[in-house]
Amino acid sequence: MRTVLALLACAACAQGAMSRPVASYDIKATLDTKSHIITGHEVLTWLNDSPDTVPALRFHLYMNGFSNSKSTFFKESGGQLRGDKFKGDEWGWIDIRKMEQGGADLTSAIRFIHPDDNNADDRTVIEVQLPKPVKPGETIQVNISFETKMPMVFARTGFHKDFYLGGQWFPKLGVWETAGFRYSTAGAWNCHQFHANSEFFANFGRYHVELTVPSEMVVGATGELKGKTESRGRTTYTFEQEDVTDFAWTAQPTYLREERMFVASKETTPQEVAAVAKLHGIPESEAQLSDVKMIALVQPEHREQMERHFASLRAALKWFGLWYGRYPYKTITVVDPPANAAGSGGMEYPTFITAGTTWKLPPESHLLEEVTVHEFGHQFWMQLVATNEFEESPMDEGFNTYSTTKVMDKVFGGMGELPIKLLGVDMWKLLRFPGLSDNSLTRAQFLVFPAGDNMLRPAWQYYNSSSYSINSYPKMGVTLDSLEGYLGHDTMARVMRTYHQRWRFRHPTARDFQKVANEVSGQNLDWFFDQFFFGNRLLDYSVGDVTSKEQRSPLGALERNGKRVVVTRKEAEAQDDKNDDNKAFKKQYECTVKVRRLGDATVPVEVWIHFKDGGTEKRTWDGQYRWVKYTFLRGTEIDWVQVDPQRKYELDVSYANNSWQADYNKRLSTTWTMQLLFWIQNLSLWMTSLA
């Protein structure tokens, strides 16, 4: 018989759920704060929406990555991740106590597998043979009783004192990929082990979760709160959410909880909506946004920063919504973890994000805003467009970096000042650095390791964690900026919105984005994708030799009026002296410019040559050969030369060699010195974050 969940799932389909609910969960869980153990029971409803007959199921048991030092996650991370180190002996794990399907006990059929490596000690993926295979179009239910021990907060999940963050805390089904789905050539489970340098991938579905905690706890979670009952000092919270790929929650007795409403009619103007509709050729009704309840759970010592979280959410809801499409859920919850649980900060789950801040963060620094906007952005690039973060992490993190940068620079003027103090002195203000744009920080991060791995590869196969981080975040951000530089703002905006709308509530690949970019731009952009998405070509154009040679009188055996005339050096010099004395004589210069391609990437690039009389020559070089030479006969010398003067290609690893100037310019030199200081500072900050 079908349970209530299955009936509700079918009803949701009939009423027009936005996704096709393939894997849905009905979970009842109780938290014991003394043992830090969650006792749970889940009913998984799985629809085999493929033409394949499926004989077995595979589940992620992510929490076993924290069970001991033999797990793949722990071996790869070395006990530290994103600056957070595992401390103490509070390990975490998940045990399946019982699994049933169709009246059959499957518990004894469970076996641990390790599809990604040869680590027989890794226990983060299980496979279980079914009593009978699941036929195409068939729906089954699996009943699972489980017990999860929460670890000390480390890498996105766990507890610290009375704070809890539940991420990847229940048995979670993998994704069955039939031939032709994403990159699959044959039907198989996509269910990777838990790696240090990877996140997650799951089907869309409906979640109904009843979470029981001590009554003093303040609770937040994915979805809408549908009910709350109290009994004997414990409170059960019921949350529901359709059209999502995961469920996370938090609990802490000292949270400050406040709500605000994002009212679309107040946050956007008719002119902004009309501009979006015109750009994309859609009715204004499709460009309008929806009202959203914003919920903030903030630490008491950060109470003065509460409104900054809400301001960040407003900015993100508005601009992500206008650019890519309205946020389809009714709530968004932002969590501010305590200082000693920073490992759970900066993480994204459906309708639920964790941010992070510090005590007395100055308003001139926009670190809080950047983290909040970025984590919200994953609602679009991870949740709504659900790429496989194991296999193509830049399609999530990098797309979100690109989008976050645009929101931050547009609304907050970038990152602002960075809170760097030495012996109590604010070094940023002391050195009089101006505010830092988010775009410049992204490029500086990319320059740490610009030509290492191919950008798109399985997350655990990058050279090291730094390569994973740089390729997944800033390199894709800079690559998309460069694609925008080539296509132009409006065309790129149409590419991004079309891609998002077409693949909303689905699971695209990088090749799908490539197809959209080709279609919308009306160009074959395969040359760009092959070099920068799927390869690791290095882009570096440089001004080479520049000369302005004054044309002097010729000497030697010359043809004049059909006769050979020999002009001696003395005669030529005398003529030159005469010309120099003649104020009416117009000098001529043979001006030459050589532009070099130092990297192995080839892109069409603009070259501007400016002369001292104010004239400018503009050329476009295809960049195919290693260098090109331009020659001009002018009445004046070359003043300056710039390659890619509009900085269309942020992938160019050195802007310093893109320019040449005839005369020393103190102001220009000072500007470059300041940029160098910025770069050094940004590099230091970036490497610190990877430590």
Side-chain angles (χ1 to χ4, degrees), residues 256-321:
L256 298 179
R257 184 187 187 280
E258 293 194 19
E259 296 181 2
R260 302 284 188 276
M261 283 299 298
F262 174 89
V263 180
S265 61
K266 294 182 179 179
E267 301 292 343
T268 59
T269 67
Q271 292 79 10
E272 289 170 334
V273 172
V276 169
K278 181 179 180 181
L279 175 62
H280 298 284
I282 58 177
E284 289 191 15
S285 59
E286 293 183 19
Q288 292 172 347
L289 308 184
S290 300
D291 296 348
V292 180
K293 179 190 290 186
M294 302 179 294
I295 303 166
L297 301 174
V298 175
Q299 299 302 313
E301 62 269 26
H302 299 155
R303 68 175 67 238
E304 76 281 359
Q305 298 180 37
M306 179 78 76
E307 295 307 322
R308 294 178 65 173
H309 285 292
F310 286 124
S312 303
L313 289 178
R314 285 191 179 94
L317 280 163
K318 174 179 178 176
W319 292 108
F320 274 84

Coordinates of all heavy atoms in Angstrom, one line a residue, residues 256-321:
L256 N 19.3 34.3 18.4 CA 18.3 35.3 18.3 C 17.6 35.1 16.9 O 18.3 35.1 15.9 CB 19.0 36.7 18.3 CG 19.8 37.1 19.5 CD1 20.5 38.4 19.4 CD2 18.9 37.1 20.7
R257 N 16.3 34.9 17.0 CA 15.6 34.6 15.7 C 14.7 35.8 15.4 O 13.9 36.2 16.2 CB 14.7 33.3 15.9 CG 14.0 32.9 14.6 CD 13.1 31.7 14.9 NE 12.5 31.2 13.7 CZ 11.4 31.7 13.1 NH1 10.9 32.9 13.5 NH2 10.9 31.2 12.0
E258 N 14.9 36.3 14.1 CA 14.0 37.3 13.7 C 13.6 37.1 12.2 O 14.3 36.3 11.5 CB 14.7 38.7 13.8 CG 14.9 39.1 15.2 CD 15.3 40.6 15.3 OE1 15.0 41.4 14.3 OE2 15.9 41.0 16.3
E259 N 12.4 37.6 11.8 CA 11.9 37.5 10.5 C 11.7 38.8 9.8 O 11.4 39.8 10.5 CB 10.6 36.7 10.5 CG 10.6 35.3 11.0 CD 9.2 34.7 11.0 OE1 8.3 35.3 10.5 OE2 9.1 33.5 11.4
R260 N 11.9 38.9 8.6 CA 11.5 40.0 7.7 C 10.9 39.5 6.5 O 11.1 38.3 6.1 CB 12.8 40.8 7.4 CG 13.6 41.4 8.5 CD 12.9 42.6 9.2 NE 13.8 43.1 10.2 CZ 13.9 42.7 11.5 NH1 13.2 41.6 11.9 NH2 14.8 43.2 12.3
M261 N 10.1 40.3 5.8 CA 9.6 40.0 4.5 C 10.3 40.7 3.4 O 10.5 41.9 3.4 CB 8.1 40.3 4.5 CG 7.2 39.3 5.2 SD 7.3 37.6 4.6 CE 6.7 37.8 2.9
F262 N 10.6 39.9 2.4 CA 11.0 40.5 1.1 C 9.8 40.7 0.3 O 9.1 39.7 -0.1 CB 12.0 39.6 0.4 CG 12.4 40.0 -1.0 CD1 13.4 40.9 -1.2 CD2 11.6 39.6 -2.1 CE1 13.8 41.3 -2.5 CE2 12.0 40.1 -3.4 CZ 13.1 40.9 -3.6
V263 N 9.4 42.0 0.1 CA 8.1 42.3 -0.6 C 8.6 42.8 -2.0 O 9.2 43.8 -2.1 CB 7.3 43.4 0.1 CG1 6.1 43.7 -0.6 CG2 7.0 42.9 1.6
A264 N 8.3 41.9 -3.0 CA 8.8 42.2 -4.3 C 8.4 43.6 -4.8 O 9.2 44.2 -5.5 CB 8.3 41.1 -5.2
S265 N 7.2 44.0 -4.6 CA 6.7 45.3 -5.1 C 7.5 46.5 -4.5 O 7.5 47.5 -5.1 CB 5.2 45.4 -4.9 OG 4.9 45.4 -3.5
K266 N 8.0 46.3 -3.3 CA 8.8 47.3 -2.7 C 10.3 47.3 -3.0 O 11.0 48.3 -3.0 CB 8.6 47.3 -1.2 CG 7.2 47.6 -0.7 CD 7.1 47.5 0.8 CE 5.7 47.8 1.3 NZ 5.6 47.8 2.8
E267 N 10.8 46.1 -3.3 CA 12.2 45.9 -3.5 C 12.6 46.1 -5.0 O 13.8 46.4 -5.2 CB 12.6 44.5 -3.1 CG 12.4 44.2 -1.6 CD 13.2 45.0 -0.7 OE1 14.3 45.5 -1.1 OE2 12.9 45.0 0.5
T268 N 11.7 46.0 -5.9 CA 11.9 46.3 -7.3 C 11.1 47.4 -7.8 O 10.0 47.6 -7.3 CB 11.7 45.0 -8.1 OG1 10.3 44.6 -8.0 CG2 12.6 43.9 -7.7
T269 N 11.5 48.1 -8.8 CA 10.7 49.1 -9.5 C 10.1 48.6 -10.8 O 10.7 47.7 -11.4 CB 11.6 50.3 -9.8 OG1 12.6 50.0 -10.8 CG2 12.4 50.8 -8.5
P270 N 9.0 49.2 -11.2 CA 8.5 48.8 -12.5 C 9.5 49.0 -13.7 O 9.5 48.2 -14.6 CB 7.3 49.8 -12.7 CG 6.9 50.2 -11.3 CD 8.2 50.2 -10.5
Q271 N 10.4 50.0 -13.6 CA 11.4 50.2 -14.6 C 12.4 49.0 -14.7 O 12.8 48.6 -15.7 CB 12.1 51.5 -14.4 CG 11.3 52.8 -14.5 CD 10.4 53.1 -13.3 OE1 10.5 52.4 -12.3 NE2 9.5 54.0 -13.5
E272 N 12.8 48.5 -13.5 CA 13.7 47.4 -13.4 C 13.1 46.2 -14.0 O 13.7 45.4 -14.8 CB 14.1 47.2 -12.0 CG 15.1 48.2 -11.4 CD 15.3 48.1 -10.0 OE1 14.4 47.5 -9.3 OE2 16.4 48.6 -9.5
V273 N 11.8 45.9 -13.7 CA 11.1 44.7 -14.2 C 11.0 44.9 -15.8 O 11.2 43.9 -16.5 CB 9.8 44.6 -13.6 CG1 9.0 43.5 -14.2 CG2 9.9 44.2 -12.1
A274 N 10.6 46.1 -16.2 CA 10.4 46.3 -17.6 C 11.7 46.1 -18.4 O 11.7 45.6 -19.5 CB 9.8 47.7 -17.9
A275 N 12.8 46.6 -17.8 CA 14.1 46.4 -18.5 C 14.5 45.0 -18.6 O 15.0 44.6 -19.7 CB 15.2 47.2 -17.7
V276 N 14.2 44.2 -17.6 CA 14.5 42.7 -17.7 C 13.7 42.1 -18.8 O 14.2 41.3 -19.6 CB 14.3 42.1 -16.3 CG1 14.3 40.5 -16.5 CG2 15.3 42.5 -15.3
A277 N 12.4 42.4 -18.8 CA 11.5 41.9 -19.8 C 11.9 42.2 -21.2 O 11.9 41.4 -22.1 CB 10.1 42.3 -19.5
K278 N 12.3 43.5 -21.4 CA 12.7 43.9 -22.7 C 14.0 43.2 -23.2 O 14.1 42.8 -24.3 CB 12.9 45.4 -22.7 CG 13.4 46.0 -24.1 CD 13.5 47.5 -24.0 CE 14.0 48.1 -25.3 NZ 14.1 49.6 -25.3
L279 N 15.0 43.1 -22.3 CA 16.3 42.5 -22.6 C 16.1 41.0 -23.0 O 16.7 40.6 -24.0 CB 17.2 42.5 -21.4 CG 18.6 41.8 -21.6 CD1 19.4 42.4 -22.7 CD2 19.4 41.9 -20.3
H280 N 15.2 40.3 -22.4 CA 15.0 38.9 -22.6 C 13.9 38.6 -23.5 O 13.6 37.4 -23.8 CB 14.9 38.1 -21.3 CG 16.2 38.3 -20.4 ND1 17.3 37.6 -20.7 CD2 16.4 39.0 -19.3 CE1 18.2 37.9 -19.8 NE2 17.7 38.8 -19.0
G281 N 13.1 39.6 -23.9 CA 12.0 39.4 -24.8 C 10.9 38.5 -24.2 O 10.3 37.6 -24.8
I282 N 10.6 38.8 -22.9 CA 9.6 38.0 -22.2 C 8.5 39.0 -21.6 O 8.8 40.2 -21.5 CB 10.2 37.2 -21.0 CG1 10.9 38.2 -20.0 CG2 11.2 36.2 -21.5 CD1 11.5 37.5 -18.8
P283 N 7.3 38.5 -21.3 CA 6.3 39.3 -20.7 C 6.8 39.8 -19.4 O 7.5 39.2 -18.7 CB 5.1 38.4 -20.6 CG 5.3 37.3 -21.5 CD 6.8 37.1 -21.6
E284 N 6.3 41.0 -19.0 CA 6.7 41.6 -17.7 C 6.3 40.7 -16.5 O 7.0 40.6 -15.5 CB 6.2 43.0 -17.5 CG 6.8 44.0 -18.4 CD 6.5 45.4 -18.0 OE1 6.0 45.6 -16.9 OE2 6.7 46.3 -18.9
S285 N 5.2 39.9 -16.7 CA 4.8 39.0 -15.6 C 5.8 38.0 -15.3 O 6.0 37.5 -14.2 CB 3.5 38.4 -16.0 OG 3.6 37.6 -17.2
E286 N 6.6 37.6 -16.3 CA 7.6 36.6 -16.1 C 8.9 37.1 -15.5 O 9.7 36.4 -15.0 CB 8.0 35.9 -17.5 CG 6.9 35.1 -18.1 CD 7.3 34.4 -19.3 OE1 8.6 34.2 -19.6 OE2 6.5 34.0 -20.1
A287 N 9.0 38.4 -15.5 CA 10.2 39.1 -14.9 C 9.9 39.5 -13.5 O 10.9 40.0 -12.8 CB 10.6 40.3 -15.8
Q288 N 8.7 39.4 -13.0 CA 8.4 39.9 -11.7 C 8.8 38.8 -10.6 O 8.8 37.6 -10.9 CB 6.8 40.1 -11.6 CG 6.4 41.3 -12.4 CD 4.9 41.5 -12.5 OE1 4.2 40.6 -12.1 NE2 4.4 42.7 -12.9
L289 N 9.0 39.3 -9.4 CA 9.5 38.4 -8.4 C 8.4 38.1 -7.4 O 7.3 38.7 -7.5 CB 10.7 39.1 -7.6 CG 11.8 39.6 -8.5 CD1 12.9 40.1 -7.6 CD2 12.3 38.5 -9.4
S290 N 8.6 37.2 -6.5 CA 7.7 36.8 -5.5 C 8.1 37.3 -4.1 O 9.3 37.5 -3.8 CB 7.5 35.3 -5.4 OG 7.1 34.8 -6.7
D291 N 7.1 37.4 -3.2 CA 7.4 37.7 -1.8 C 8.0 36.5 -1.1 O 7.6 35.3 -1.4 CB 6.1 38.1 -1.0 CG 5.5 39.4 -1.6 OD1 6.2 40.1 -2.4 OD2 4.3 39.7 -1.3
V292 N 9.0 36.7 -0.2 CA 9.7 35.7 0.5 C 9.9 36.0 2.0 O 10.2 37.2 2.3 CB 11.1 35.4 -0.1 CG1 11.8 34.3 0.6 CG2 10.9 35.1 -1.6
K293 N 9.6 35.0 2.8 CA 9.9 35.2 4.3 C 11.4 35.0 4.5 O 11.9 33.9 4.2 CB 9.1 34.3 5.1 CG 9.3 34.5 6.6 CD 8.7 33.4 7.4 CE 7.2 33.5 7.4 NZ 6.5 32.5 8.4
M294 N 12.1 36.0 5.1 CA 13.5 35.9 5.4 C 13.6 35.6 6.9 O 13.0 36.3 7.7 CB 14.2 37.1 5.0 CG 14.1 37.5 3.5 SD 15.1 39.0 3.1 CE 14.1 40.2 4.0
I295 N 14.4 34.6 7.3 CA 14.5 34.2 8.7 C 16.0 34.3 9.0 O 16.8 33.7 8.2 CB 14.0 32.8 9.0 CG1 12.5 32.7 8.6 CG2 14.2 32.4 10.4 CD1 12.0 31.3 8.5
A296 N 16.4 34.9 10.1 CA 17.8 35.0 10.5 C 17.9 34.4 11.9 O 17.1 34.7 12.8 CB 18.3 36.4 10.5
L297 N 18.9 33.5 12.1 CA 19.3 32.9 13.4 C 20.7 33.4 13.7 O 21.6 32.9 13.1 CB 19.2 31.4 13.3 CG 17.8 30.8 13.0 CD1 17.9 29.3 12.9 CD2 16.8 31.2 14.0
V298 N 20.8 34.3 14.6 CA 22.1 35.0 14.9 C 22.5 34.8 16.3 O 21.7 34.8 17.2 CB 21.9 36.5 14.5 CG1 23.1 37.3 14.9 CG2 21.5 36.7 13.1
Q299 N 23.9 34.8 16.5 CA 24.5 34.7 17.8 C 24.2 36.0 18.6 O 24.3 37.1 18.0 CB 26.0 34.4 17.7 CG 26.3 33.1 17.0 CD 25.7 31.9 17.7 OE1 25.7 31.8 18.9 NE2 25.1 31.0 16.9
P300 N 24.0 35.9 19.9 CA 23.7 37.1 20.7 C 24.8 38.2 20.5 O 24.4 39.4 20.5 CB 23.6 36.6 22.1 CG 23.2 35.2 21.9 CD 23.9 34.7 20.7
E301 N 26.0 37.8 20.5 CA 27.1 38.8 20.4 C 27.2 39.5 19.0 O 27.9 40.4 18.8 CB 28.5 38.1 20.7 CG 28.9 37.0 19.7 CD 28.4 35.6 20.1 OE1 27.4 35.5 20.9 OE2 29.1 34.7 19.7
H302 N 26.4 39.0 18.0 CA 26.3 39.6 16.7 C 25.0 40.3 16.5 O 24.7 40.5 15.3 CB 26.6 38.5 15.6 CG 27.9 37.8 15.7 ND1 28.1 36.5 15.2 CD2 29.1 38.2 16.3 CE1 29.4 36.2 15.5 NE2 30.0 37.2 16.1
R303 N 24.3 40.6 17.5 CA 22.9 41.1 17.3 C 22.9 42.4 16.5 O 22.0 42.7 15.7 CB 22.3 41.4 18.7 CG 22.9 42.5 19.5 CD 22.1 42.7 20.8 NE 22.1 41.6 21.7 CZ 21.1 40.9 22.2 NH1 19.8 41.3 21.7 NH2 21.2 40.0 23.0
E304 N 24.0 43.2 16.6 CA 24.0 44.5 15.9 C 24.2 44.3 14.4 O 24.0 45.2 13.6 CB 25.1 45.4 16.4 CG 26.6 45.0 16.0 CD 27.2 43.9 16.8 OE1 26.5 43.4 17.7 OE2 28.3 43.5 16.5
Q305 N 24.5 43.0 14.0 CA 24.7 42.7 12.5 C 23.5 42.1 11.9 O 23.5 41.7 10.8 CB 25.9 41.9 12.4 CG 27.2 42.5 12.8 CD 28.4 41.7 12.6 OE1 28.5 40.9 11.6 NE2 29.4 41.7 13.5
M306 N 22.4 41.9 12.7 CA 21.2 41.3 12.2 C 20.7 41.9 10.9 O 20.4 41.2 9.9 CB 20.1 41.3 13.3 CG 18.8 40.7 12.9 SD 18.8 38.9 13.0 CE 18.7 38.7 14.8
E307 N 20.6 43.2 10.8 CA 20.1 43.8 9.7 C 21.0 43.7 8.4 O 20.5 43.8 7.3 CB 19.8 45.3 9.9 CG 18.7 45.5 11.0 CD 17.4 44.8 10.7 OE1 17.0 44.7 9.5 OE2 16.7 44.3 11.6
R308 N 22.3 43.5 8.7 CA 23.2 43.3 7.6 C 22.9 42.0 6.8 O 23.0 41.9 5.6 CB 24.6 43.4 8.0 CG 25.0 44.7 8.5 CD 26.5 44.8 9.1 NE 27.4 44.5 8.0 CZ 28.8 44.6 8.2 NH1 29.2 45.0 9.4 NH2 29.6 44.4 7.2
H309 N 22.5 41.0 7.6 CA 22.1 39.7 7.0 C 20.9 39.9 6.2 O 20.8 39.4 5.0 CB 21.8 38.6 8.1 CG 23.1 38.1 8.7 ND1 24.0 37.3 8.0 CD2 23.5 38.2 10.0 CE1 24.9 37.0 8.9 NE2 24.7 37.5 10.0
F310 N 19.9 40.6 6.7 CA 18.7 40.8 5.9 C 18.9 41.7 4.7 O 18.3 41.4 3.6 CB 17.6 41.5 6.8 CG 17.0 40.5 7.8 CD1 17.0 40.8 9.2 CD2 16.4 39.4 7.4 CE1 16.4 40.0 10.1 CE2 15.8 38.5 8.3 CZ 15.8 38.8 9.7
A311 N 19.8 42.7 4.8 CA 20.1 43.5 3.6 C 20.8 42.7 2.5 O 20.5 42.9 1.3 CB 21.0 44.7 4.0
S312 N 21.6 41.8 3.0 CA 22.3 40.9 2.0 C 21.3 40.0 1.3 O 21.4 39.7 0.1 CB 23.4 40.0 2.7 OG 24.3 40.9 3.4
L313 N 20.4 39.4 2.1 CA 19.3 38.5 1.5 C 18.5 39.3 0.5 O 18.1 38.8 -0.6 CB 18.5 37.9 2.6 CG 19.1 36.8 3.4 CD1 18.2 36.3 4.5 CD2 19.6 35.7 2.6
R314 N 18.1 40.6 0.9 CA 17.3 41.4 0.0 C 18.0 41.6 -1.4 O 17.4 41.5 -2.4 CB 17.0 42.7 0.6 CG 15.9 42.6 1.7 CD 15.5 44.0 2.1 NE 14.4 44.0 3.2 CZ 14.7 44.0 4.5 NH1 15.9 44.2 4.9 NH2 13.7 44.0 5.3
A315 N 19.3 41.9 -1.3 CA 20.0 42.2 -2.5 C 20.1 40.9 -3.4 O 19.9 41.0 -4.6 CB 21.4 42.7 -2.1
A316 N 20.3 39.8 -2.7 CA 20.5 38.5 -3.5 C 19.1 38.1 -4.1 O 19.1 37.7 -5.2 CB 21.0 37.5 -2.6
L317 N 18.1 38.2 -3.3 CA 16.7 37.8 -3.8 C 16.4 38.7 -5.0 O 15.8 38.2 -6.0 CB 15.7 38.0 -2.7 CG 15.6 36.8 -1.7 CD1 14.9 37.3 -0.4 CD2 15.0 35.6 -2.3
K318 N 16.7 40.0 -4.9 CA 16.3 40.9 -6.0 C 17.1 40.6 -7.2 O 16.5 40.4 -8.3 CB 16.5 42.3 -5.5 CG 16.3 43.3 -6.7 CD 16.5 44.8 -6.2 CE 16.3 45.8 -7.3 NZ 16.4 47.2 -6.8
W319 N 18.4 40.6 -7.2 CA 19.2 40.6 -8.4 C 19.4 39.2 -9.0 O 19.3 39.0 -10.2 CB 20.6 41.2 -8.1 CG 20.4 42.7 -7.9 CD1 20.5 43.4 -6.7 CD2 19.9 43.7 -8.9 NE1 20.2 44.7 -6.9 CE2 19.8 44.9 -8.2 CE3 19.6 43.6 -10.2 CZ2 19.4 46.1 -8.9 CZ3 19.2 44.7 -10.9 CH2 19.1 45.9 -10.2
F320 N 19.5 38.2 -8.2 CA 19.5 36.8 -8.7 C 18.1 36.6 -9.4 O 18.0 36.0 -10.4 CB 19.7 35.8 -7.6 CG 21.2 35.5 -7.4 CD1 21.9 36.3 -6.5 CD2 21.8 34.4 -8.0 CE1 23.2 36.0 -6.3 CE2 23.1 34.1 -7.7 CZ 23.8 34.9 -6.9
G321 N 17.0 37.1 -8.7 CA 15.7 36.9 -9.3 C 15.5 37.6 -10.6 O 14.9 37.1 -11.5

